[in-house]
């Protein structure tokens, strides 16, 4: 009888182990690509991934039986090509909406709402694109900010903005320092990130909200996660959007926003 009980216990433990292994094996690893250089959305601190985007995704996947989350630092220009190749399943880097991306990728529901801003030397303030005519800036090719400036130049070829394109290795701080040194006149960027870095680095710069109404005004300033336009990408998009709605409803997104942005940048999302 005692031998039978021991045998039964071993069988139960064995089944539990096998079942556990099957559950673990059934989890799909979701790799998030981010440049870790767009604070406060995404950055590294003592080799740990930090930032609004990071914490939101951790909250989205917390307790998931189907997905296991992992993060990887990738140069900005290589993030979406990596999604194309299937190396990464989510792109998280303060991405805004544009028509070109929408033709190729799936977007999550918006996760935050900021504004375009112009950063210039302290004592100099530019509030509109017209103020920038004839001036020099730096931008990463393919970014929303570069696209806004390029569209302006198409309509104002008589006095265009000079755009010097920089690699994804040239971080935001470097470009802001180039304004201080006089190498460039301004950069067009996200208001939250710009204000955060200027304050954090104690830079002598001015951050001014862009007053122009852009063509994509309904989506302007809103941030999204991006997925591959595939069967797997659609399933992941559906899962993330469902969790985002729940996190917004229970106040989690607002708490994360206040932690990293110092205010509520999610309540007005629709």
């Amino acid at each position: 009888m005692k031998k039978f009980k021991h045998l039964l216990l071993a069988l139960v433990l064995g089944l539990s182990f096998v079942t556990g292994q099957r559950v673990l094996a059934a989890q799909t690893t979701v790799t998030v690509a981010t440049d870790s250089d767009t604070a406060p959305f995404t950055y590294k601190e003592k080799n740990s991934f930090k930032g609004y985007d990071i914490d939101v995704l951790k909250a989205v996947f917390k307790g998931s039986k189907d997905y296991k989350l992992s993060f990887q630092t990738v140069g900005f220009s290589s993030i979406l090509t990596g999604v194309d190749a299937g190396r990464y399943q989510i792109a998280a880097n303060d991405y805004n909406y544009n028509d070109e991306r929408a033709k190729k990728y799936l977007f999550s529901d918006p996760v935050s709402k900021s504004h375009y801003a112009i950063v210039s030397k302290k004592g100099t303030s530019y509030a509109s694109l017209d103020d920038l005519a004839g001036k020099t800036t730096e931008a990463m090719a393919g970014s929303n900010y570069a696209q806004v400036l390029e569209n302006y130049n198409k309509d104002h070829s008589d006095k265009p903005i000079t755009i010097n394109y920089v690699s994804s290795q040239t971080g935001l701080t470097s470009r802001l320092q180039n304004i201080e040194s006089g190498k460039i006149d301004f950069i067009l960027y996200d208001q939250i990130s710009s204000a955060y870095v200027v304050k954090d680095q104690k830079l002598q710069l001015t951050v001014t909200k862009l007053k122009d109404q852009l063509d994509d005004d309904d989506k302007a300033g809103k941030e999204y996660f991006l997925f591959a336009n595939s069967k797997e990408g659609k399933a992941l998009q559906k899962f993330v959007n469902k969790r985002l709605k729940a996190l917004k409803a229970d106040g989690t997104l607002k708490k994360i926003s206040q932690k990293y942005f110092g205010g509520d940048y999610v309540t007005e999302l629709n």
Side-chain angles (χ1 to χ4, degrees):
M1 186 66 178
K2 191 178 285 185
K3 189 178 290 186
F4 174 75
K5 285 182 179 178
H6 287 160
L7 183 62
L8 183 61
L9 178 61
L11 182 61
V12 170
L13 289 174
L15 285 172
S16 298
F17 177 77
V18 171
T19 303
Q21 288 294 95
R22 284 177 180 170
V23 169
L24 289 173
Q27 282 188 310
T28 299
T29 297
V30 174
T31 303
V32 179
T34 184
D35 73 358
S36 301
D37 192 34
T38 309
F41 294 91
T42 168
Y43 60 96
K44 279 288 205 57
E45 191 176 90
K46 295 180 180 178
N47 294 320
S48 294
F49 288 91
K50 300 285 186 178
Y52 178 77
D53 290 6
I54 307 304
D55 278 16
V56 168
L57 284 170
K58 285 180 178 178
V60 164
F61 286 90
K62 184 178 180 180
S64 173
K65 295 179 181 178
D66 299 314
Y67 297 110
K68 180 182 178 182
L69 197 62
S70 116
F71 296 94
Q72 188 167 332
T73 299
V74 182
F76 180 80
S77 61
S78 300
I79 292 177
L80 293 181
T81 54
V83 172
D84 294 339
R87 289 192 296 274
Y88 321 120
Q89 287 68 54
I90 300 179
N93 217 89
D94 186 25
Y95 278 105
N96 301 124
Y97 179 93
N98 68 39
D99 292 334
E100 188 177 342
R101 284 183 190 143
K103 292 176 183 176
K104 196 170 185 180
Y105 305 100
L106 301 175
F107 284 71
S108 70
D109 290 339
V111 294
S112 72
K113 180 174 173 59
S114 181
H115 301 280
Y116 287 106
I118 302 169
V119 188
S120 57
K121 269 190 175 183
K122 195 169 185 178
T124 306
S125 178
Y126 306 124
S128 72
L129 295 175
D130 285 336
D131 293 339
L132 307 176
K135 294 181 171 54
T136 303
T137 189
E138 291 179 340
M140 282 191 287
S143 67
N144 274 61
Y145 312 109
Q147 190 175 65
V148 168
L149 298 173
E150 289 161 357
N151 290 341
Y152 177 86
N153 282 348
K154 287 177 185 177
D155 297 330
H156 302 83
S157 56
D158 56 322
K159 198 174 182 182
I161 297 165
T162 300
I163 307 171
N164 297 328
Y165 293 97
V166 295
S167 75
S168 59
Q169 305 305 314
T170 306
L172 174 58
T173 301
S174 296
R175 281 175 278 159
L176 292 175
Q177 290 170 340
N178 286 341
I179 300 173
E180 272 197 322
S181 70
K183 183 179 178 181
I184 58 176
D185 299 306
F186 75 94
I187 66 164
L188 179 69
Y189 211 71
D190 169 77
Q191 186 178 20
I192 293 174
S193 294
S194 301
Y196 177 90
V197 176
V198 167
K199 181 180 179 181
D200 183 66
Q201 300 295 318
K202 297 179 174 60
L203 301 172
Q204 298 301 301
L205 300 173
T206 299
V207 180
T208 308
K209 179 182 172 182
L210 182 70
K211 69 179 184 181
D212 296 71
Q213 297 295 306
L214 303 178
D215 291 340
D216 63 343
D217 197 58
D218 178 56
K219 298 181 178 67
K222 291 181 180 177
E223 182 206 1
Y224 304 83
F225 299 134
L226 272 61
F227 316 87
N229 192 355
S230 63
K231 181 180 178 181
E232 294 76 14
K234 288 175 182 176
L236 199 53
Q237 178 196 41
K238 183 178 179 180
F239 171 82
V240 169
N241 284 344
K242 182 178 179 180
R243 289 289 296 137
L244 285 173
K245 285 182 175 65
L247 293 171
K248 184 184 177 187
D250 70 13
T252 300
L253 290 186
K254 183 178 177 179
K255 287 179 183 176
I256 299 173
S257 173
Q258 290 170 330
K259 175 182 176 181
Y260 286 103
F261 303 153
D264 178 7
Y265 289 83
V266 298
T267 297
E268 64 179 297
L269 292 173
N270 50 41

